Amino acid sequence: LFFFISFPISLEWGGKTVSETVYWFQYERDLSLNSNVYDVATKLVQRHFPGEFGSERLVQKVVDIILRQTAKREGENKGLFAV
């Protein structure tokens, strides 16, 4: 049994905006299969803004967005799938 959610995210840097869908996996029996917020954020930023100086701030913004989107909310299961 594992859970995943997907949600849209927009990245803005240097006057450029891109949209992406994040797929988030958690509660895997094999913990190495769970999503890592810093890995996901870094890969998204590097995919769209490779080698940009100062993009660490954007990575932190993306981390914050992912953490807000994936936080458990009382009584809310919208977009959460059990497989």
Side-chain angles (χ1 to χ4, degrees), residues 42-61:
T42 300
K43 287 176 184 174
L44 282 173
V45 170
Q46 289 302 311
R47 180 180 307 135
H48 296 290
F49 305 101
E52 289 287 331
F53 179 77
S55 63
E56 299 83 13
R57 291 189 314 262
L58 180 57
V59 170
Q60 188 57 54
K61 284 183 183 180

Side-chain angles (χ1 to χ4, degrees), residues 65-79:
I65 292 168
I66 292 171
L67 290 176
R68 279 195 306 271
Q69 289 290 328
T70 59
K72 285 187 178 183
R73 293 179 182 91
E74 194 83 23
E76 186 176 310
N77 290 335
K78 195 169 155 182

Side-chain angles (χ1 to χ4, degrees), residues 5-69:
I5 58 173
S6 64
F7 51 90
I9 191 169
S10 292
L11 307 169
E12 298 177 27
W13 188 257
K16 179 181 173 187
T17 301
V18 293
S19 295
E20 179 93 33
T21 300
V22 172
Y23 297 94
W24 186 260
F25 295 85
Q26 57 190 28
Y27 307 124
E28 291 279 356
R29 284 191 183 116
D30 179 350
L31 299 179
S32 69
L33 299 175
N34 288 332
S35 298
N36 176 294
V37 69
Y38 295 101
D39 288 343
V40 172
T42 300
K43 287 176 184 174
L44 282 173
V45 170
Q46 289 302 311
R47 180 180 307 135
H48 296 290
F49 305 101
E52 289 287 331
F53 179 77
S55 63
E56 299 83 13
R57 291 189 314 262
L58 180 57
V59 170
Q60 188 57 54
K61 284 183 183 180
V62 173
V63 165
D64 294 343
I65 292 168
I66 292 171
L67 290 176
R68 279 195 306 271
Q69 289 290 328

